[in-house]
Amino acid sequence: MKERFDISGMTCASCQANVQKAVQKLGVDDVNVNLISESMTVDYDTDKITNDDIIKAVEKIGYGASLKNQDKSNDPTLKENEEMSTISRLKISFLFLIPLMYISMGPMINLPIPSFLEGRSGAVNYAFVQFLLALPVIFVNRNFFVSGFRGLINKAPNMDTLVALGASAAAIFGIFAIMRMSYALGLNDTQVLDHYRHNIYFESSATILTLITLGKYFEARSKGETKSSLKHLMDLAPKTAKVIKNGEEIEVAIEEIGIGDTIVVRPGEAIPVDGIVTKGSSLVDQAAITGESIPVNKNPGDEVISASINKQGSFQFRAKRVGENTTISQIISLVNEANETKAPIAKLADKIAAVFVPVVIVIAILTFAIWAYITKDFEFALNLMIAVLVISCPCALGLATPMAIMVSTGKSAELGLLFKNAESLENLHKIDSILLDKTGTITEGKPVVTDVYTKMDDKEFISIARSIEEASEHPLSNSIVEFANSKNIRPKETSDFHSITGMGLEAKIDGKIYYAGNIKLMNDKNISVKDFEERSISYSEKGKTSMYFADENEVLGLIAVQDLAKDSSIKAIEKLKAMGYHIAMLTGDNEKTAEAIRKKLAIDEKYAEVLPQDKDKVVRKLQESGKKVAMVGDGINDAPALARSDIGIAIGSGTDIAIDSADIVLIKNSLFDIINSIKLSSKTIKIIKENLFWAFFYNIILIPVAAGILYPRYGITLNPMFAALAMSISSVFVCLNSLRLRNFKAEEESKEESKEENILVKENKMSELNKMIVKVDGMSCQNCAKHVTEALESVAGVKEVNVDLDNKEANVEFFGSVDENEISKAISEAGYEYKGIEYK
């Protein structure tokens, strides 16, 4: 069983490692802790471990845990309160730090300070005032001490432990200095008094706490930016919807919508759930979900996607997927799951983080001991120890991978590219071979008639062909029926229809037997194919599939159909080949047809006549030849191959099984997004490597410097205050570097081509001629008809109006979609009563 938990109190990579280690000790199957989202996913056996066991294990080492969303730990309001609290702490810290720094550092650059703080006589006052100014800073930032020492006591030290030890050491030494000065003043020991007057360190303690809090604030802001893409997605879906119940339109919460409910959407409104348009038409902006820049025309029978925006007319649709099953909910779920998994590259950081803090504490103790022994200078050794503790905070290390993953998955969701886990995001750029299923992946998945060859009257032949195919649900049959419809050719009456497995169809028309099918059927029925076979072979060589139509004696003609390749597929394959990828195609087509398609698309390799159950064998064959394979498909029969491949990529319009089996989902159904996915994967890994390099390099270089390795030869040491500043800057750098992924630009097919295509698509969308009947009451003469015609022609998109006075209606032809409110308004202003619309 998998369960998600909210985790509170984590501040660094060591915290993450501590929580993970504590839960792993329970014997769970798997655990992933995410520092950025402050969450944990645990896979465990409920017969052996309970939720309470997991929560107690986390709480035992000083952190908070609860089942996801069962408490307020991740409540947005609470998060805002935490941010306000951090700002308040910063304001108070700086309010006292500025005068503290002035008093402690001012005399070094000859700035005036009050006389009672000057010289030997004011030495104790000078130190005590600094102590009083440092106290509020220590108090408001007490969380560092509470969390840090609790972690130390529970044998799970973290970043706060290092900060608490460093700040405590500086503050305790300052108190020790006050006591030494007071004692020396009583004995008039000027040497001791002068020594401690210049080595107080309260300002170091306060500065360390303030700068690290400032770093935490910037880090939190960066995390907020990181989560903004996901938050934007979550805000897209409306909270309520207008549902028609018992003939009335009522507003309900989105959670109350059920499958089959009829929902009304007006211009400018967001679509609440997935469904099928039942009445009306409009242009719908799907950019936020699919990345399509141009609104899509929606008519009755078309599918609409949750969170897309209705741009023009009003329409009604029937709910098909609701609740967690809507497209937007599934996208958010996939993004969350990807954020809560770990990329393999993060494992190195996890291993280091698990032992990092204890090792740093040991290094700090050794630094103090060695320098105290060598120099006999307690204060100098303490200074170096504090610097080591503060400079080593592993914030940057813990943020390096999850920050980049979260930004990347949020950005990919915006672009319609869904990575199911961090591992697929990392591994995608490693593939070298891409295996494409043909039907529905490379092609539209919808065959169309390309050629008709007959020696009888064309219309008569097509009518016979349509009549035979009418009762079949095969995609090739559907293409012939649609072709006949486009030619306005009606079917004849048929009887005794039946399918001949693997060969075709048989039916009676006007008492005479007709056949439709392949060459095997013709041979089986001893029908001479004459020169039709040569024509069929020529069609096959062009990648087309031929169907023979015959009566009992002879072949009447051929109809060739072809599943045309998408424009995006042709360009994507060309681009992928230019990038150096080996492209292979899977198809059930015969060798000749498959070879024709391979040549036309310039594909490197084809696998023809592949049975559905054998697709995964092709993947295995490529893998055994040493290739890293990405399989791209959309059907149920692609699922085994998708699962077996190194990276499975499902086309978003595909079946649920294919999508479930894949690692990546391309919502836009365009192969061009494979290029964008690969490029985003490469850029993400590059950013992660930069982050890890900075985190490791920073610690490897600066810990030895803080420990005084350069002091014997160059006299260089690292002041604890600068150490705190450097540590904070390193965390902010990692956050800002990760945010660069938000600027990732999706690959364009070709700037010139895209511009032309966009214009064409827009023209095509707007040039779609639709028809409707507008019911108008109050018309009684030709003059009324004229007024209504003029009123309707004034509505944007209307092409032609013909008024039928007898039936009190107007037949309207229009482009794209029109606003129903505009029609109603135009008719009312003309002095007539609008009674509704019927779409043809």
Side-chain angles (χ1 to χ4, degrees), residues 766-817:
M766 296 312 296
S767 66
E768 288 181 7
L769 191 60
N770 299 301
K771 296 178 181 179
M772 64 181 173
I773 296 171
V774 180
K775 301 286 186 181
V776 184
D777 210 359
M779 295 189 297
S780 57
C781 63
Q782 288 301 324
N783 205 35
C784 296
K786 180 185 175 185
H787 291 156
V788 169
T789 300
E790 289 172 352
L792 289 171
E793 284 178 344
S794 70
V795 175
V798 171
K799 177 181 179 284
E800 191 174 331
V801 179
N802 289 305
V803 174
D804 182 346
L805 280 174
D806 293 336
N807 294 314
K808 308 293 184 191
E809 63 188 29
N811 291 287
V812 180
E813 293 183 351
F814 62 97
F815 292 116
S817 62

Side-chain angles (χ1 to χ4, degrees), residues 104 107 117-124 126-127 130 177 181 190-200:
S104 61
L117 303 178
E118 291 181 335
R120 290 170 180 164
S121 61
V124 174
Y126 177 70
Q130 288 186 50
M181 281 190 285
T190 57
Q191 187 176 354
V192 172
L193 195 65
D194 288 341
H195 174 78
Y196 283 102
R197 187 160 60 96
H198 297 297
N199 292 282
I200 300 175

Side-chain angles (χ1 to χ4, degrees), residues 245-457:
K245 289 192 176 179
N246 300 322
E248 290 185 18
E249 187 180 308
I250 59 171
E251 189 166 328
V252 301
I254 195 169
E255 294 82 9
E256 295 175 26
I257 298 174
I259 294 173
D261 282 354
T262 298
I263 299 155
V264 180
V265 184
R266 293 192 168 81
E269 294 180 347
I271 294 167
V273 295
D274 296 359
I276 305 293
V277 177
T278 55
K279 183 180 179 183
S281 67
S282 182
L283 288 178
V284 175
D285 182 357
Q286 300 181 160
I289 308 300
T290 66
E292 294 169 282
S293 58
I294 299 166
V296 179
N297 195 288
K298 299 290 184 181
N299 293 302
D302 291 339
E303 188 166 339
V304 288
I305 305 171
S306 54
S308 50
I309 307 297
N310 181 26
K311 302 296 285 185
Q312 271 194 6
S314 298
F315 65 89
Q316 295 178 11
F317 74 94
R318 184 179 69 256
K320 181 181 174 184
R321 286 187 291 269
V322 300
E324 294 181 356
N325 295 318
T326 63
T327 300
I328 188 67
S329 295
Q330 289 179 340
I331 289 173
I332 292 167
S333 177
L334 285 174
V335 172
N336 275 324
E337 284 177 23
N339 288 337
E340 290 175 5
T341 58
K342 277 197 177 70
I345 197 171
K347 291 175 183 175
L348 175 63
D350 286 349
K351 287 176 182 175
I352 292 172
V355 296
F356 188 80
V357 173
V359 168
V360 167
I361 292 172
V362 171
I363 292 172
I365 293 169
L366 288 174
T367 298
F368 175 78
I370 291 168
W371 284 110
Y373 176 77
I374 293 171
T375 63
K376 305 295 189 285
D377 186 337
F378 178 83
E379 291 83 5
F380 176 75
L382 181 67
N383 203 32
L384 293 184
M385 183 186 81
I386 294 170
V388 169
L389 288 169
V390 175
I391 199 70
S392 305
C393 296
C395 291
L397 191 63
L399 296 170
T401 302
M403 279 291 285
I405 293 292
M406 185 167 277
V407 179
S408 183
T409 50
K411 184 65 182 179
S412 66
E414 282 181 14
L415 298 173
L417 321 170
L418 293 181
F419 293 87
K420 288 192 176 179
N421 51 59
E423 187 172 357
S424 60
L425 179 60
E426 176 179 340
N427 290 336
L428 178 61
H429 78 289
K430 297 176 183 176
I431 61 154
D432 52 34
S433 184
I434 300 173
L435 182 60
L436 304 171
D437 177 57
K438 190 204 83 173
T439 306
T441 301
I442 295 176
T443 65
E444 298 285 356
K446 187 179 180 183
V448 293
V449 173
T450 57
D451 300 89
V452 175
Y453 178 64
T454 182
K455 293 176 182 177
M456 63 187 291
D457 178 70

